[in-house]
Amino acid sequence: MRAKIIAVFTVVVLVVGVLAFALTRASLNPGSPRADAARALVAAEAVLRVQAGEAERWLASQAADPLVREPFSAGTGQARSDGATSVANGIKSATGKAPVIAGLGPSLVVLVDAKGTALGRDGSPFLRGDDLGGIYPALRAGLAEGRTGSDVWVTPARNEQLLVSWAPIRGENGQVLGGLVLGTSLSDGRLTDVANQTSGATLWFEVKDKDGYRIVAQSKGGTPDLAAAIDTKQLEAGAASALSSGQAVDVTALPPDFGVKVGPLGGYGDGKRALLVAVARANAPAATTLLFPFLGAIALGIVLVAIAGHILGQSIMRPIEEVEEGLLAIMNGRTDLRFQIEHPEFGGLVSRLNSLLSQLLGMPEDETGAPPAAMVVRGKEPEEALAVDESLAQNRASGEATALGAEDEAAYHQRIFDDYMRAKKSVGDPVDHITRDAFVARIVASEKQMAQKHGKPVRYKVEVRGKEVVLLAVPLA
């Protein structure tokens, strides 16, 4: 029985566990990699635009300082260059006190004239006289219009790979004297920071030059094997389409669980040279990642089923085994044996079984509700109960046995009936169905049976044991 209970519920646990695993696996929709890539691209571009705007506002505040105008009023070119380098050094030092700018990794501060020619940079005499406005037309155009702006400076021949912002420097009459230019790093670390602030997707920074399209920076996760999974021709075609249309486009990716989106970088220059590429992958966990926790839960369920099955089986099998042993004893001659099993489920069955045995073995229960002798009702050995009663009779001078034997038969029957009714009422048992005549007839029949069986006349006495009323056979001689 225990094995069957454990086996059945083990199968139930397995079925429920497998079904739960399948439903959980199906409910973890990996989503749309293309949609994830599109969101990552928009978020990354927004962060870079905000960074450019913050740099421009900060530069504009610095350019308004009268000290910044002083190099432009110097009498000689050398004096202007030296003054510009001194101002650039001061601005570079000030970036460390501006958390927003310091976080961008400033690496270049340079003063230029109104046409974009470099006057001096921080920490070095290099760049003096370089026509930066000619190399990067967006700078010259911005200064000519007297506005702040940002651009992407990527020129391998000049060893430049920067995101730059500038602000015009005006004279007292409002005329544009030149510009203050700040260059911040365009590196893998910068792009990784942007990715971490937004979606966490892989980001590539791509520029267009005379040799085509080139990836100049990539966030963490942009490994060569990932780049190899992307169709290069499709990526270049997407980049060309994005620059021509000014809109982000999807790029075919291999394998199909990738989503790739490429779009022009707004807020830097004319938006026709730099691009951002966002790569997203399906993020559903692998089946094995879910499998082991479910296997652990199923194993724990089986262990609990085994423990519960053993306890439940023991609760069911113990009374069954007692009944089986008792019936075997009755078949072997112990016809006076009755079962005393207290069980919430089998208690009623045991009571009916005792009644059936009493009827089959010559002591049927009738409407009196009176049980047979205590030795039968309690399941004791007849000899043991009789011996106890005989010792009681021998050890009493006027003895209980003598008193019972001397009592008039009619008075004895009336008294024991009254004693029995009082005892039944005291324990709360119903007595409405018990009649005196039936009770006396039962007592007389039982006395004759006991006398024939043990060779001694007996009479009964009533005793209350706990919540039970029993009749004890007392030998008279």
Side-chain angles (χ1 to χ4, degrees):
M1 175 64 74
R2 284 186 289 268
K4 290 182 179 179
I5 292 174
I6 293 173
V8 169
F9 283 101
T10 297
V11 172
V12 172
V13 169
L14 288 173
V15 171
V16 172
V18 172
L19 181 60
F21 171 78
L23 292 176
T24 302
R25 184 75 176 88
S27 65
L28 292 176
N29 188 346
S32 171
R34 287 191 175 186
D36 293 341
R39 286 190 290 269
L41 182 65
V42 170
E45 183 186 14
V47 169
L48 291 174
R49 279 176 176 267
V50 169
Q51 291 176 351
E54 290 174 340
E56 291 171 16
R57 284 191 294 274
W58 185 81
L59 284 173
S61 68
Q62 298 298 312
D65 188 344
L67 294 176
V68 177
R69 298 197 297 263
E70 290 182 357
F72 296 94
S73 61
T76 65
Q78 183 65 39
R80 285 195 300 272
S81 295
D82 291 342
T85 297
S86 177
V87 170
N89 287 332
I91 298 296
K92 180 66 175 294
S93 177
T95 60
K97 301 177 182 179
V100 173
I101 304 302
L104 302 180
S107 58
L108 172 67
V109 177
V110 59
L111 264 68
V112 298
D113 63 15
K115 294 182 179 181
T117 302
L119 298 179
R121 62 160 293 175
D122 64 297
S124 172
F126 295 114
L127 295 184
R128 290 179 180 180
D130 286 4
D131 184 11
L132 299 180
I135 300 171
Y136 305 111
L139 172 61
R140 177 175 292 179
L143 294 176
E145 296 173 8
R147 59 174 175 79
T148 60
S150 296
D151 196 8
V152 178
W153 288 7
V154 177
T155 306
R158 296 176 55 83
N159 196 28
E160 289 176 346
Q161 185 169 306
L162 301 169
L163 295 178
V164 300
S165 298
W166 65 81
I169 301 173
R170 299 179 182 275
E172 294 181 357
N173 59 359
Q175 180 184 3
V176 175
L177 302 176
L180 181 60
V181 180
L182 173 69
T184 58
S185 65
L186 174 54
S187 62
D188 293 351
R190 174 81 172 271
L191 215 54
T192 298
D193 289 341
V194 172
N196 291 338
Q197 292 175 40
T198 53
S199 63
T202 299
L203 298 176
W204 294 337
F205 199 101
E206 193 173 23
V207 295
K208 180 183 179 182
D209 56 23
K210 62 181 181 178
D211 297 324
Y213 296 91
R214 183 165 54 92
I215 296 175
V216 297
Q218 56 186 4
S219 67
K220 185 179 180 180
T223 55
D225 61 328
L226 178 58
I230 308 301
D231 189 325
T232 304
K233 292 182 178 180
Q234 289 288 337
L235 181 59
E236 292 181 354
S241 176
L243 288 181
S244 63
S245 66
Q247 302 293 326
V249 298
D250 290 312
V251 179
T252 302
L254 297 174
D257 58 344
F258 283 89
V260 181
K261 198 86 170 180
V262 58
L265 177 61
Y268 291 83
D270 59 3
K272 298 295 184 180
R273 185 162 177 255
L275 303 108
L276 270 180
V277 181
V279 182
R281 302 175 95 167
N283 57 5
T288 54
T289 304
L290 294 173
L291 181 60
F292 290 113
F294 271 92
L295 288 178
I298 291 174
L300 177 61
I302 292 175
V303 171
L304 295 178
V305 163
I307 296 174
H310 177 77
I311 296 174
L312 181 60
Q314 190 72 11
S315 169
I316 296 174
M317 291 304 298
R318 185 183 296 113
I320 294 177
E321 290 171 354
E322 291 184 13
V323 170
E324 183 180 7
E325 292 175 0
L327 291 176
L328 182 61
I330 292 173
M331 292 170 61
N332 290 331
R334 291 184 54 188
T335 57
D336 54 349
L337 178 65
R338 297 296 181 268
F339 303 105
Q340 296 297 315
I341 300 175
E342 296 182 2
H343 194 278
E345 281 75 29
F346 293 110
L349 177 62
V350 170
S351 175
R352 302 298 183 273
L353 183 59
N354 283 335
S355 299
L356 178 62
L357 289 173
S358 296
Q359 294 180 8
L360 293 177
L361 297 176
M363 290 181 289
E365 291 190 356
D366 56 17
E367 69 276 7
T368 66
M375 62 196 74
V376 176
V377 174
R378 301 295 293 175
K380 295 182 180 179
E381 291 289 345
E383 293 79 2
E384 179 185 355
L386 185 58
V388 171
D389 291 333
E390 286 179 345
S391 65
L392 289 175
Q394 293 170 359
N395 292 334
R396 295 179 183 177
S398 57
E400 193 172 29
T402 303
L404 286 173
E407 193 172 6
D408 178 72
E409 184 174 2
Y412 157 70
H413 288 157
Q414 183 61 47
R415 180 187 59 75
I416 195 171
F417 173 74
D418 293 340
D419 290 347
Y420 184 76
M421 295 294 284
R422 281 193 297 271
K424 294 287 279 185
K425 292 177 181 179
S426 68
V427 298
D429 288 345
V431 297
D432 295 339
H433 63 288
I434 303 175
T435 62
R436 181 182 181 284
D437 293 340
F439 179 83
V440 172
R442 178 69 180 277
I443 288 295
V444 172
S446 296
E447 288 174 349
K448 291 181 180 179
Q449 183 181 11
M450 294 294 292
Q452 292 175 358
K453 185 173 183 178
H454 299 287
K456 295 181 180 181
V458 298
R459 281 191 173 180
Y460 284 98
K461 67 175 182 177
V462 178
E463 281 194 5
V464 178
R465 297 182 178 178
K467 292 295 184 178
E468 294 182 352
V469 179
V470 296
L471 291 171
L472 290 178
V474 180
L476 300 182

